[in-house]
Amino acid sequence: MSEFDSRGDPRERNDGRDDHVRYPQFDLSVPREIERERVVSLAVRAASPELVVNLFSSISPEITHIVEQHLLPSLESGQLFDPVAMVRDYDALSPYWLRQERNLFLGKGRLRELGHKVSLYDWDKTELKPAWDVARSRRRLNALDITISFPDGGRESSWILADRIGDVLGLGSVRARVRRSHVEGQSQADGSFSAQLAPGIAVSTRRQETPEERAAIDRDLSDRFRSNLSWLPKTIEVSEPLYGEMRSALSALDSDDAAALVGSGMLRYADRLVLSGESVREERLGQIIRKMEKGFSVVFGRSIALGRFEGTHPLEEGLVNRAVEPNEELASEFEQEESPSQEVDSLTSVEINGVPSRLGECTVSFHSASQEVFASELRDVPSFDKDKPVLEVKFPDLVKRPNEVERNQRTGLARQICADIDSQLNLDTVAAELDRMGFEKGPEHGFVREAQYSRGKIKLTFEGA
């Protein structure tokens, strides 16, 4: 039975108009001190498509046509966007990176949408521009949830931009409303504050560190990153994997689940989808889930760059890191040339989450090209071809410093996967060489705790632990 329709409870459906805004009561007697805070994000829940278009028209007008004609229809239809049509319809030079992700639960005879969103990043560094996440709302039919994230920058400029957004939302000055609001809570993880501006509209702020505080944080990171940390495998990528190599990598994680994914046809379908760049075929997924006794969360994604990127590619500068959704190592190297007849460069991916292993749940991904991560690099010969399709196996994130047994398990599993592809690869030698390199400081984002090594068909990403 298909559970594809995730448009919410029919009792919550209405005519698509925004609800009447009822503003919360503010205590005007005790103004809140926000002089040292900057805006981190502004979230709007269950907004109409018309409001989304109005927000883009006011803040990022050059991309509004793409949002209205391509991205919003893709969210409604459940299909991945057409990169060729988007490149044809985008005539501005402003550089944007776009990512679409549709998350489905597949298995046990069920197909259910867990989430569907598009993300837009403006790489123009001449002025403060936000990053956008627009997702299908699970609260109301034909509605959208928006999260507008503000990059690190000047405190004053973040409030000016927030006030512009507040005007479009009919709130007036966001700064004035935050001053009159109580602090609802402070996140212990990132030190941010939240304030409810209206039903379904919230703003998040964070106190900006002084230069002295920032220097102290950097010193602490430097001390910790140099305190006898060593490198452990985090991800393994295989360029142009053979079908036997895919099955072997899955079997190394868990033989039963490997057999289930192979027998259902999911493995071949994911591989073919990233090679062809075609849209998700629900009828094919229906055939697959009937043969899958266990369910998996599968993310179908597509990324593209629009406009002109000058000089060093943004991803090489580490700008992909944001204060929202960590998952997110989400990009490939896109470069647009001036010729209008150029080949469209987009990235298609299928990520199968929750594949068990002795380390915990892993992610097995298929990508039409290798993803780029800012990291120290140690390269053997022949070099890894990052422009070819890849199979990626990502180990669970480390939540604490592992003990010796956990280190050996992680290294042993990586060694087992790599041995079937390159029997000459010596992980111990690679890790020792990385240890001698130490930890480097990356631009604008402090110390980088990742390093890469490539050899022929294999690329490994290590993390300090």
Side-chain angles (χ1 to χ4, degrees):
M1 176 179 177
S2 173
E3 299 182 34
F4 169 71
D5 191 347
S6 63
R7 293 177 290 183
D9 192 324
R11 293 170 295 181
E12 299 178 354
R13 299 180 184 179
N14 56 26
D15 58 4
R17 296 177 298 179
D18 290 331
D19 294 332
H20 177 68
V21 176
R22 299 179 300 276
Y23 299 116
Q25 297 297 314
F26 298 114
D27 182 0
L28 303 181
S29 62
V30 185
R32 179 172 151 197
E33 298 292 335
I34 62 171
E35 279 67 24
R36 290 185 59 188
E37 294 179 37
R38 68 174 182 85
V39 184
V40 176
S41 65
L42 201 154
V44 183
R45 297 293 174 250
S48 66
E50 292 77 16
L51 178 58
V52 174
V53 172
N54 288 340
L55 281 168
F56 275 97
S57 297
S58 301
I59 308 301
S60 300
E62 64 281 350
I63 201 69
T64 303
H65 176 73
I66 296 298
V67 172
E68 187 173 15
Q69 299 298 319
H70 295 276
L71 299 184
L72 296 188
S74 293
L75 287 174
E76 176 63 25
S77 67
Q79 292 299 316
L80 299 180
F81 61 71
D82 182 346
V84 176
M86 286 177 57
V87 170
R88 183 180 62 242
D89 288 352
Y90 187 71
D91 56 6
L93 297 179
S94 300
Y96 277 89
W97 183 74
L98 288 72
R99 172 76 176 172
Q100 180 180 2
E101 292 184 337
R102 187 180 179 208
N103 188 357
L104 300 176
F105 175 86
L106 302 177
K108 301 180 180 180
R110 300 164 60 196
L111 188 157
R112 176 165 54 93
E113 185 174 275
L114 303 176
H116 192 180
K117 73 173 184 176
V118 293
S119 302
L120 300 90
Y121 313 87
D122 187 339
W123 296 120
D124 185 2
K125 295 188 288 184
T126 59
E127 60 178 306
L128 184 70
K129 292 291 186 68
W132 306 76
D133 286 326
V134 183
R136 287 183 60 175
S137 174
R138 303 185 69 83
R139 302 183 183 185
R140 204 177 76 190
L141 176 66
N142 296 328
L144 300 161
D145 293 338
I146 317 164
T147 301
I148 306 171
S149 302
F150 294 66
D152 292 338
R155 184 192 62 82
E156 180 63 21
S157 57
S158 73
W159 286 109
I160 292 174
L161 180 56
D163 284 345
R164 288 177 57 194
I165 296 171
D167 286 338
V168 180
L169 296 175
L171 299 174
S173 172
V174 170
R175 180 175 356 208
R177 290 189 172 275
V178 173
R179 283 186 186 277
R180 300 196 302 269
S181 70
H182 290 293
V183 178
E184 296 179 0
Q186 179 176 6
S187 169
Q188 299 301 316
D190 60 5
S192 63
F193 301 89
S194 63
Q196 191 79 10
L197 304 180
I201 303 177
V203 64
S204 176
T205 63
R206 181 180 295 121
R207 188 175 68 86
Q208 203 162 22
E209 302 99 349
T210 65
E212 293 77 14
E213 289 172 333
R214 184 70 258 171
I217 293 173
D218 286 342
R219 284 195 301 270
D220 179 63
L221 289 173
S222 175
D223 292 341
R224 286 193 294 113
F225 288 170
R226 291 190 172 94
S227 60
N228 298 319
L229 295 183
S230 59
W231 296 101
L232 288 178
K234 178 181 181 179
T235 62
I236 303 168
E237 291 183 69
V238 182
S239 178
E240 287 194 296
L242 302 173
Y243 187 64
E245 292 170 341
M246 300 178 198
R247 296 183 59 170
S248 176
L250 274 171
S251 295
L253 300 178
D254 186 279
S255 58
D256 292 338
D257 283 284
L261 287 169
V262 170
S264 69
M266 185 65 203
L267 213 60
R268 287 195 182 277
Y269 177 67
D271 184 46
R272 189 178 77 246
L273 190 145
V274 300
L275 289 175
S276 65
E278 65 185 45
S279 293
V280 179
R281 294 173 51 200
E282 290 178 35
E283 64 273 16
R284 181 68 184 103
L285 292 178
Q287 298 170 1
I288 291 172
I289 61 177
R290 286 197 290 270
K291 302 177 182 178
M292 292 175 62
E293 295 183 358
K294 178 181 177 180
F296 294 91
S297 166
V298 182
V299 178
F300 297 89
R302 182 163 289 162
S303 307
I304 192 172
L306 297 176
R308 178 179 297 170
F309 292 90
E310 300 289 350
T312 304
H313 190 272
L315 296 176
E316 295 175 355
E317 299 178 1
L319 299 180
V320 77
N321 296 320
R322 293 188 297 145
V324 293
E325 298 207 329
N327 191 21
E328 311 194 327
E329 297 118 345
L330 290 178
S332 181
E333 187 176 25
F334 302 106
E335 291 184 359
Q336 297 247 351
E337 300 177 1
E338 296 184 9
S339 170
S341 61
Q342 69 182 44
E343 180 181 353
V344 176
D345 196 359
S346 63
L347 174 71
T348 301
S349 61
V350 179
E351 301 176 359
I352 305 172
N353 298 291
V355 180
S357 75
R358 54 183 177 272
L359 304 179
E361 292 190 344
C362 298
T363 298
V364 176
S365 308
F366 299 81
H367 303 278
S368 55
S370 176
Q371 300 181 104
E372 289 300 306
V373 177
F374 182 84
S376 307
E377 192 166 17
L378 181 65
R379 192 178 290 274
D380 203 342
V381 290
S383 62
F384 183 83
D385 192 341
K386 60 187 178 183
D387 295 325
K388 297 291 180 62
V390 299
L391 167 72
E392 179 187 60
V393 178
K394 181 180 179 182
F395 294 161
D397 292 332
L398 293 171
V399 295
K400 61 181 181 180
R401 196 163 182 175
N403 57 38
E404 192 64 27
V405 173
E406 293 168 331
R407 290 174 182 273
N408 291 337
Q409 287 180 332
R410 184 166 288 242
T411 302
L413 181 55
R415 186 181 294 114
Q416 180 181 352
I417 294 173
C418 293
D420 289 329
I421 302 158
D422 184 352
S423 59
Q424 301 302 311
L425 178 62
N426 190 321
L427 280 183
D428 295 333
T429 300
V430 174
E433 180 62 24
L434 289 171
D435 284 337
R436 284 193 291 272
M437 291 174 58
F439 293 83
E440 294 185 1
K441 189 172 184 179
E444 303 181 359
H445 291 282
F447 285 84
V448 177
R449 295 186 61 180
E450 292 189 349
Q452 290 183 345
Y453 170 85
S454 61
R455 171 191 166 93
K457 291 189 61 170
I458 296 179
K459 182 174 77 172
L460 298 108
T461 301
F462 293 79
E463 62 181 326

